[in-house]
Amino acid sequence: MKRTAALRAVALGAAVAMIATACSSGSGSDDATEGAGESTTLTWWHNSNTGAGKDYYDQLADEFEGDHPGVTVEVSALAHEDMLTKLDAAFQTGDQPDVFMERGGGELKAHVEAGLVKDISDSAADTISAIGGSVAGWQAEGQTYALPFSLGVVGFWYNKQIFADAGITEAPTTMDDLYAAIDTLKAAGIEPISVGAGDKWPAAHYWYYFALRQCSQEVLTDAVQTLDFSDDCWVRAGTSLEELVAKEPFNTGFLATVAQTGPASASGLLATGKVAMELAGHWEPGVMQGLTDDGQGLGENTGWFAFPEVAGGEGDPKAQLGGGDAWACSNDAPDVCVDFLEFMLSNDVQKGFAELDMGLPTLPSATAFVSAPELAQLLAVRNEAPYIQLYFDTAFGESIGGAMNDAIANVFGGVGSAQDVVDATVAAAESA
C-alpha cells in the first residue's frame, strides 16, 4: 500500500493508493439498478495484490455479493504503482472504477473540482460519525467524499536479528544514533538501508521528514496554505538529506530500485534479509508478507522505530509524517457503491483488517485488534503525535508534489542540491 495532491498540512491532531469499469450506471454497469431482478456491477480497484490481504478482499467481495443479490463486485487487485498509473489515466478519461482508493489532500480537491468523486456526506452520515475526526482529511468545504480505512505514520522498519548480530542493542532515536548504526552495519558487511528511489516517493519521504524536523508546525501549515517556502528551514531539510546521502547507507542500485514489487524491491530486500532497515509506512509488514515464500515477511524479527530527532531542528521531534487511504465512489457509480463503502468500514471488516495487520484501522472500536506488537507500537506513536504532517506530494498536489519529488530524487542521484529542491518547488507553485 501507499499513497498523490492539496489537503494541506493536515494536523490530524493528537490522535490522530485499480481496474474496473463499472457496468452501466456508474462508470460502467450492466445498466442495472438495485431493483428486483436487475443486476449491478461494481468495479473495485485496490492494491492488496498479494497474500492474506488479497484473499481477505476477495472474501469481502463475495460476502457483499451474498448480502446484495443482483450485485456483482469485479475486483482488480493491482500492484501499488500500477494502480496509481492506471488511476491517473482513468481520471483523465473519466473511466475510473466505481470504488477506488482516495488519499485526500490536493488529489481529493482536484477530483472534487473535476466532479469525479461522489459526495457521501448524507448517504454515509452514520459511518462518518463513527469514524470521527480521522475523516477530516477527506472532506472539502464541509462535505465528505471518502471513508478512511487506514491511517498511519512512516518510520523505520528493521530486522531485529540483523541488528542484534551486528551488536546494535537499541533502536536509533537521533540522527547521530542512526549514523552510528549505519557505520556498524557497513563494518559488518551489511547494506544498512533499502530505498525504492526508482519510484521517487520512497526517497522523497526522507526529505519530507527532514522538513518536518527542521520546520516549525506553523511554517509547515502556512506553506501548505500560502505556498510560501521562504523560511530557510526548507533548505536545511535538503542539507540534512545531503548529509544522509553522503553516508552512502543505501542498497546497491538504489536509484533504480522499485518500492514494493518483487524480491529485488526495497521491501523485498528487507523482507529477505538483504538489508537491515527501510523507511516505510504502516503497510510494510503486509507488503513484506507477500514477498516471502512462507508469507511471513520478517515474522518475529520485525522491528520499528520512529524517524530520529534532528539536532537544532525547529519541529516537534514527536511529530510524524503520514497519511491514510480511504474508499471512495466515482461520482457516477451506482447508489449501492455507498453501501459497499459502509460495509468496508463496518466493525467486522475493520476488525478483520486489523487482525491481519493490513494497516491501522480508523474505526476506534477496531484499533484494539491490531495484533502485531510493532504495529501496536506504531499506533501508540500515531496517537501520541502532536500533529501528523500529510505526505507533501499529497498535501501540495500532483504538479507541485511531482516537481518536489523529482528534485529530491536528484539529490539522491548526486545531481541536485538542497537549494534545487526549494527552487523546483517554488517554480511549480508559481505556475500552478
Side-chain angles (χ1 to χ4, degrees), residues 300-318:
E300 62 182 11
N301 288 321
T302 305
W304 185 88
F305 62 90
F307 195 90
E309 297 181 25
V310 175
E314 298 168 6
D316 192 309
K318 292 187 176 180

PDB file of all heavy atoms in Angstrom, residues 300-318:
ATOM      1  N   GLU A 300       8.915 -12.729  13.394  1.00  0.00           N
ATOM      2  CA  GLU A 300       9.254 -12.263  14.735  1.00  0.00           C
ATOM      3  C   GLU A 300      10.457 -11.331  14.747  1.00  0.00           C
ATOM      4  O   GLU A 300      10.757 -10.720  15.785  1.00  0.00           O
ATOM      5  CB  GLU A 300       9.539 -13.447  15.656  1.00  0.00           C
ATOM      6  CG  GLU A 300      10.718 -14.289  15.217  1.00  0.00           C
ATOM      7  CD  GLU A 300      10.974 -15.501  16.111  1.00  0.00           C
ATOM      8  OE1 GLU A 300      10.098 -15.798  16.957  1.00  0.00           O
ATOM      9  OE2 GLU A 300      12.030 -16.127  15.963  1.00  0.00           O
ATOM     10  N   ASN A 301      11.158 -11.210  13.640  1.00  0.00           N
ATOM     11  CA  ASN A 301      12.299 -10.297  13.572  1.00  0.00           C
ATOM     12  C   ASN A 301      11.907  -8.895  13.115  1.00  0.00           C
ATOM     13  O   ASN A 301      12.770  -8.056  12.860  1.00  0.00           O
ATOM     14  CB  ASN A 301      13.378 -10.849  12.637  1.00  0.00           C
ATOM     15  CG  ASN A 301      14.099 -12.046  13.241  1.00  0.00           C
ATOM     16  OD1 ASN A 301      14.365 -12.070  14.440  1.00  0.00           O
ATOM     17  ND2 ASN A 301      14.383 -13.041  12.414  1.00  0.00           N
ATOM     18  N   THR A 302      10.608  -8.647  13.020  1.00  0.00           N
ATOM     19  CA  THR A 302      10.148  -7.338  12.571  1.00  0.00           C
ATOM     20  C   THR A 302      10.260  -6.322  13.698  1.00  0.00           C
ATOM     21  O   THR A 302       9.727  -6.520  14.790  1.00  0.00           O
ATOM     22  CB  THR A 302       8.680  -7.391  12.107  1.00  0.00           C
ATOM     23  OG1 THR A 302       8.533  -8.405  11.108  1.00  0.00           O
ATOM     24  CG2 THR A 302       8.241  -6.045  11.541  1.00  0.00           C
ATOM     25  N   GLY A 303      10.963  -5.233  13.424  1.00  0.00           N
ATOM     26  CA  GLY A 303      11.072  -4.153  14.393  1.00  0.00           C
ATOM     27  C   GLY A 303      10.727  -2.822  13.753  1.00  0.00           C
ATOM     28  O   GLY A 303      10.727  -2.685  12.520  1.00  0.00           O
ATOM     29  N   TRP A 304      10.423  -1.826  14.586  1.00  0.00           N
ATOM     30  CA  TRP A 304      10.034  -0.498  14.077  1.00  0.00           C
ATOM     31  C   TRP A 304      10.513   0.571  15.027  1.00  0.00           C
ATOM     32  O   TRP A 304      10.459   0.383  16.258  1.00  0.00           O
ATOM     33  CB  TRP A 304       8.521  -0.410  13.945  1.00  0.00           C
ATOM     34  CG  TRP A 304       8.026   0.876  13.314  1.00  0.00           C
ATOM     35  CD1 TRP A 304       7.846   1.129  11.983  1.00  0.00           C
ATOM     36  CD2 TRP A 304       7.639   2.094  13.990  1.00  0.00           C
ATOM     37  NE1 TRP A 304       7.389   2.415  11.790  1.00  0.00           N
ATOM     38  CE2 TRP A 304       7.247   3.028  13.003  1.00  0.00           C
ATOM     39  CE3 TRP A 304       7.600   2.480  15.333  1.00  0.00           C
ATOM     40  CZ2 TRP A 304       6.814   4.318  13.307  1.00  0.00           C
ATOM     41  CZ3 TRP A 304       7.173   3.776  15.643  1.00  0.00           C
ATOM     42  CH2 TRP A 304       6.775   4.680  14.636  1.00  0.00           C
ATOM     43  N   PHE A 305      11.019   1.662  14.492  1.00  0.00           N
ATOM     44  CA  PHE A 305      11.293   2.832  15.309  1.00  0.00           C
ATOM     45  C   PHE A 305      10.962   4.098  14.536  1.00  0.00           C
ATOM     46  O   PHE A 305      10.979   4.126  13.310  1.00  0.00           O
ATOM     47  CB  PHE A 305      12.749   2.849  15.813  1.00  0.00           C
ATOM     48  CG  PHE A 305      13.813   2.906  14.752  1.00  0.00           C
ATOM     49  CD1 PHE A 305      14.294   4.124  14.275  1.00  0.00           C
ATOM     50  CD2 PHE A 305      14.358   1.722  14.236  1.00  0.00           C
ATOM     51  CE1 PHE A 305      15.303   4.181  13.319  1.00  0.00           C
ATOM     52  CE2 PHE A 305      15.366   1.765  13.277  1.00  0.00           C
ATOM     53  CZ  PHE A 305      15.842   2.994  12.816  1.00  0.00           C
ATOM     54  N   ALA A 306      10.603   5.141  15.303  1.00  0.00           N
ATOM     55  CA  ALA A 306      10.198   6.398  14.681  1.00  0.00           C
ATOM     56  C   ALA A 306      11.379   7.112  14.062  1.00  0.00           C
ATOM     57  O   ALA A 306      12.533   6.891  14.442  1.00  0.00           O
ATOM     58  CB  ALA A 306       9.548   7.301  15.731  1.00  0.00           C
ATOM     59  N   PHE A 307      11.116   7.993  13.101  1.00  0.00           N
ATOM     60  CA  PHE A 307      12.175   8.776  12.457  1.00  0.00           C
ATOM     61  C   PHE A 307      12.899   9.572  13.533  1.00  0.00           C
ATOM     62  O   PHE A 307      12.278  10.216  14.380  1.00  0.00           O
ATOM     63  CB  PHE A 307      11.612   9.706  11.397  1.00  0.00           C
ATOM     64  CG  PHE A 307      12.662  10.260  10.467  1.00  0.00           C
ATOM     65  CD1 PHE A 307      12.993   9.588   9.308  1.00  0.00           C
ATOM     66  CD2 PHE A 307      13.334  11.447  10.768  1.00  0.00           C
ATOM     67  CE1 PHE A 307      13.971  10.079   8.448  1.00  0.00           C
ATOM     68  CE2 PHE A 307      14.312  11.946   9.914  1.00  0.00           C
ATOM     69  CZ  PHE A 307      14.634  11.263   8.754  1.00  0.00           C
ATOM     70  N   PRO A 308      14.238   9.525  13.515  1.00  0.00           N
ATOM     71  CA  PRO A 308      15.018  10.135  14.601  1.00  0.00           C
ATOM     72  C   PRO A 308      14.873  11.656  14.702  1.00  0.00           C
ATOM     73  O   PRO A 308      14.460  12.332  13.755  1.00  0.00           O
ATOM     74  CB  PRO A 308      16.468   9.757  14.242  1.00  0.00           C
ATOM     75  CG  PRO A 308      16.361   8.571  13.332  1.00  0.00           C
ATOM     76  CD  PRO A 308      15.106   8.821  12.558  1.00  0.00           C
ATOM     77  N   GLU A 309      15.250  12.147  15.868  1.00  0.00           N
ATOM     78  CA  GLU A 309      15.326  13.580  16.078  1.00  0.00           C
ATOM     79  C   GLU A 309      16.471  14.169  15.268  1.00  0.00           C
ATOM     80  O   GLU A 309      17.472  13.489  15.000  1.00  0.00           O
ATOM     81  CB  GLU A 309      15.562  13.896  17.555  1.00  0.00           C
ATOM     82  CG  GLU A 309      14.440  13.458  18.467  1.00  0.00           C
ATOM     83  CD  GLU A 309      14.725  13.815  19.925  1.00  0.00           C
ATOM     84  OE1 GLU A 309      15.510  14.776  20.152  1.00  0.00           O
ATOM     85  OE2 GLU A 309      14.192  13.145  20.818  1.00  0.00           O
ATOM     86  N   VAL A 310      16.325  15.434  14.876  1.00  0.00           N
ATOM     87  CA  VAL A 310      17.374  16.138  14.134  1.00  0.00           C
ATOM     88  C   VAL A 310      17.834  17.306  14.992  1.00  0.00           C
ATOM     89  O   VAL A 310      17.034  18.192  15.321  1.00  0.00           O
ATOM     90  CB  VAL A 310      16.850  16.635  12.776  1.00  0.00           C
ATOM     91  CG1 VAL A 310      17.920  17.472  12.065  1.00  0.00           C
ATOM     92  CG2 VAL A 310      16.437  15.449  11.898  1.00  0.00           C
ATOM     93  N   ALA A 311      19.088  17.300  15.364  1.00  0.00           N
ATOM     94  CA  ALA A 311      19.617  18.329  16.254  1.00  0.00           C
ATOM     95  C   ALA A 311      19.446  19.721  15.653  1.00  0.00           C
ATOM     96  O   ALA A 311      19.752  19.939  14.478  1.00  0.00           O
ATOM     97  CB  ALA A 311      21.094  18.057  16.537  1.00  0.00           C
ATOM     98  N   GLY A 312      18.937  20.626  16.472  1.00  0.00           N
ATOM     99  CA  GLY A 312      18.784  22.001  16.039  1.00  0.00           C
ATOM    100  C   GLY A 312      17.534  22.298  15.253  1.00  0.00           C
ATOM    101  O   GLY A 312      17.272  23.441  14.878  1.00  0.00           O
ATOM    102  N   GLY A 313      16.739  21.289  15.002  1.00  0.00           N
ATOM    103  CA  GLY A 313      15.518  21.488  14.238  1.00  0.00           C
ATOM    104  C   GLY A 313      14.461  22.236  15.028  1.00  0.00           C
ATOM    105  O   GLY A 313      14.437  22.189  16.262  1.00  0.00           O
ATOM    106  N   GLU A 314      13.592  22.931  14.329  1.00  0.00           N
ATOM    107  CA  GLU A 314      12.533  23.705  14.969  1.00  0.00           C
ATOM    108  C   GLU A 314      11.223  22.939  15.043  1.00  0.00           C
ATOM    109  O   GLU A 314      10.251  23.414  15.614  1.00  0.00           O
ATOM    110  CB  GLU A 314      12.333  25.017  14.204  1.00  0.00           C
ATOM    111  CG  GLU A 314      13.571  25.901  14.208  1.00  0.00           C
ATOM    112  CD  GLU A 314      13.485  27.058  13.218  1.00  0.00           C
ATOM    113  OE1 GLU A 314      12.410  27.222  12.608  1.00  0.00           O
ATOM    114  OE2 GLU A 314      14.491  27.763  13.050  1.00  0.00           O
ATOM    115  N   GLY A 315      11.184  21.778  14.471  1.00  0.00           N
ATOM    116  CA  GLY A 315       9.966  20.984  14.504  1.00  0.00           C
ATOM    117  C   GLY A 315       9.878  20.141  15.758  1.00  0.00           C
ATOM    118  O   GLY A 315      10.898  19.812  16.376  1.00  0.00           O
ATOM    119  N   ASP A 316       8.662  19.773  16.130  1.00  0.00           N
ATOM    120  CA  ASP A 316       8.476  18.900  17.290  1.00  0.00           C
ATOM    121  C   ASP A 316       9.017  17.509  16.958  1.00  0.00           C
ATOM    122  O   ASP A 316       8.586  16.895  15.966  1.00  0.00           O
ATOM    123  CB  ASP A 316       6.987  18.809  17.640  1.00  0.00           C
ATOM    124  CG  ASP A 316       6.738  18.156  18.999  1.00  0.00           C
ATOM    125  OD1 ASP A 316       7.294  17.060  19.222  1.00  0.00           O
ATOM    126  OD2 ASP A 316       6.020  18.728  19.821  1.00  0.00           O
ATOM    127  N   PRO A 317       9.953  16.993  17.751  1.00  0.00           N
ATOM    128  CA  PRO A 317      10.548  15.681  17.432  1.00  0.00           C
ATOM    129  C   PRO A 317       9.550  14.524  17.477  1.00  0.00           C
ATOM    130  O   PRO A 317       9.844  13.444  16.955  1.00  0.00           O
ATOM    131  CB  PRO A 317      11.642  15.527  18.492  1.00  0.00           C
ATOM    132  CG  PRO A 317      11.251  16.457  19.583  1.00  0.00           C
ATOM    133  CD  PRO A 317      10.571  17.609  18.921  1.00  0.00           C
ATOM    134  N   LYS A 318       8.397  14.767  18.106  1.00  0.00           N
ATOM    135  CA  LYS A 318       7.394  13.703  18.153  1.00  0.00           C
ATOM    136  C   LYS A 318       6.371  13.809  17.028  1.00  0.00           C
ATOM    137  O   LYS A 318       5.498  12.946  16.907  1.00  0.00           O
ATOM    138  CB  LYS A 318       6.682  13.711  19.508  1.00  0.00           C
ATOM    139  CG  LYS A 318       7.589  13.307  20.664  1.00  0.00           C
ATOM    140  CD  LYS A 318       6.801  13.169  21.958  1.00  0.00           C
ATOM    141  CE  LYS A 318       7.720  12.661  23.084  1.00  0.00           C
ATOM    142  NZ  LYS A 318       6.981  12.511  24.369  1.00  0.00           N
TER     143      LYS A 318
END
